[in-house]
Amino acid sequence: MGALKGRDLLSLADLSADELQELLHLAAQLKSGEVTPKCQKILGLVFYKASTRTRVSFSAAMYQLGGQVLDLNPSVTQVSRGEPIVDTARVLDRYLDILAMRTFEQRDLETFASYAKIPIINALSDLEHPCQVLADLQTVQESFGTLAGLTLVYVGDGNNVAHSLMLGCALAGLNVRIAAPPDYQPLATIVAQAQAIANGRTEVTVTADPITAVKGAHVLYTDVWASMGQEDLAATRIPIFQPYQVNETLLSYADKEAIVLHCLPAHRGEEITDGVIEGAQSRVWDQAGNRMHAQKALLVSLLGAE
Ligand code: CP
Ligand code: NVA
């Protein structure tokens, strides 16, 4: 334990393929109770956006490890009054052992990390959601007993969750296809990064055609059509994204053993139907539960433990 001691996790691409496998193995051991490490450290949470799962699962994980959590909502610190991030970073660095941060800009995370020596974890930015994908891969591994060689298809907005899925699948040896409307496809830089990691061994593709993409999928994944900070665009996006809804018809094109994942929160009747999210192929509640085990593994690995 402690293999990633002192590092930051700002992107899933900060991990090597072996490091990702070790984290997933540790997450499984933590979930089963095979290992029960102790880590009496202090985790800070600086979240510029709302959160249920990430905030609570990080907190529960840290308490179970014997540590403490400080919920440093920016609205109750001097951050809301304009204290510069570079000052806040150097101060919090002196009180905390590790910090999970949810931002709009990835640049804010990078700035924070460059001014703080403690590990900084990306708890979601507009660019990536690496902690989510650790739990997603744990859930896929539990469902199929393997990761390599499976095909994950993400249908919807090609932003933060899609970006981390592309990187995570490439690292873990899954084929990954993103089906998104033409103006909402993943950033070319992230596609290139994932393709470089896959290095021709697995598929990393982007399309606008959801039905073609879903054929043969073992994992069908979606996320909201308007992310946090984009609420004003929600109504205009609905007709654009309607063909990308994960419903019973789209699911029928996937492998018959396929599972359905959603990072949550979900908007039933928009990106996913009630029938699919509540249906027999849905694994979303196990997926949400795994957030705690995957992040506990991350905390243990970044902090070390007894
Ligand atoms: N999936 C996820 O990150 O959920 P929260 O926004 O509730 O943390
Ligand atoms: N794409 C979503 C994910 C929420 C967990 C958002 O950024 O709001």
Side-chain angles (χ1 to χ4, degrees):
M1 291 183 212
L4 305 178
K5 203 163 179 182
R7 301 245 302 261
D8 298 316
L9 185 79
L10 306 186
S11 162
L12 258 197
D14 292 342
L15 298 176
S16 69
D18 286 346
E19 288 168 345
L20 175 59
Q21 292 298 343
E22 281 169 30
L23 268 183
L24 295 174
H25 180 61
L26 179 56
Q29 288 180 307
L30 289 163
K31 184 172 180 177
S32 70
E34 189 183 331
V35 295
T36 53
K38 288 291 161 213
C39 177
Q40 296 180 329
K41 299 286 175 71
I42 302 175
L43 165 69
L45 303 175
V46 175
F47 280 38
Y48 287 82
K49 295 173 175 170
S51 169
T52 297
R53 280 143 288 271
T54 311
R55 182 194 300 281
V56 179
S57 58
F58 260 123
S59 302
M62 199 68 211
Y63 288 131
Q64 288 181 9
L65 289 168
Q68 304 284 326
V69 181
L70 286 175
D71 195 347
L72 302 164
N73 187 321
S75 69
V76 297
T77 67
Q78 298 287 5
V79 168
S80 61
R81 297 181 58 252
E83 184 164 9
I85 210 165
V86 296
D87 295 0
T88 306
R90 283 173 287 189
V91 173
L92 294 184
D93 179 67
R94 286 161 163 80
Y95 305 146
L96 303 171
D97 297 300
I98 191 164
L99 184 68
M101 198 169 176
R102 174 167 283 198
T103 62
F104 290 88
E105 300 281 338
Q106 181 80 4
R107 195 175 48 238
D108 286 345
L109 275 164
E110 290 164 357
T111 303
F112 215 97
S114 69
Y115 279 84
K117 291 186 282 297
I118 58 171
I120 306 297
I121 299 170
N122 180 351
L124 181 146
S125 67
D126 287 349
L127 188 71
E128 270 206 61
H129 198 0
C131 296
Q132 176 68 52
V133 172
L134 293 177
D136 300 342
L137 292 173
Q138 183 178 4
T139 310
V140 176
Q141 171 91 44
E142 287 172 353
S143 297
F144 293 96
T146 185
L147 291 172
L150 297 174
T151 297
L152 181 147
V153 179
Y154 173 97
V155 181
D157 192 11
N159 69 343
N160 46 13
V161 171
H163 288 158
S164 291
L165 281 170
M166 295 183 92
L167 296 169
C169 287
L171 281 168
L174 288 87
N175 300 305
V176 57
R177 297 181 201 139
I178 308 293
D183 291 339
Y184 299 88
Q185 298 194 339
L187 288 178
T189 50
I190 301 282
V191 178
Q193 200 177 6
Q195 286 173 337
I197 292 167
N199 197 22
R201 290 184 295 268
T202 54
E203 176 186 343
V204 179
T205 51
V206 179
T207 175
D209 179 353
I211 293 177
T212 306
V214 168
K215 284 181 181 159
H218 301 102
V219 183
L220 181 54
Y221 198 122
T222 192
D223 182 14
V224 291
W225 291 342
S227 287
M228 288 181 276
Q230 301 173 331
E231 288 80 3
D232 293 351
L233 303 170
T236 56
R237 286 184 173 209
I238 287 174
I240 299 168
F241 279 91
Q242 197 61 49
Y244 298 84
Q245 184 187 65
V246 172
N247 53 34
E248 288 78 351
T249 305
L250 191 64
L251 182 56
S252 73
Y253 290 97
D255 187 277
K256 64 179 185 345
E257 306 292 336
I259 63 167
V260 176
L261 300 182
H262 189 309
C263 55
L264 304 177
H267 293 160
R268 288 169 168 78
E270 292 186 19
E271 76 277 1
I272 193 163
T273 57
D274 193 54
V276 171
I277 199 168
E278 298 292 353
Q281 288 166 275
S282 171
R283 297 289 178 276
V284 300
W285 316 116
D286 293 336
Q287 177 189 11
N290 282 337
R291 297 293 305 276
M292 187 180 70
H293 306 295
Q295 287 159 201
K296 194 190 285 181
L298 184 61
L299 290 168
V300 165
S301 195
L302 295 173
L303 286 167
E306 295 157 24

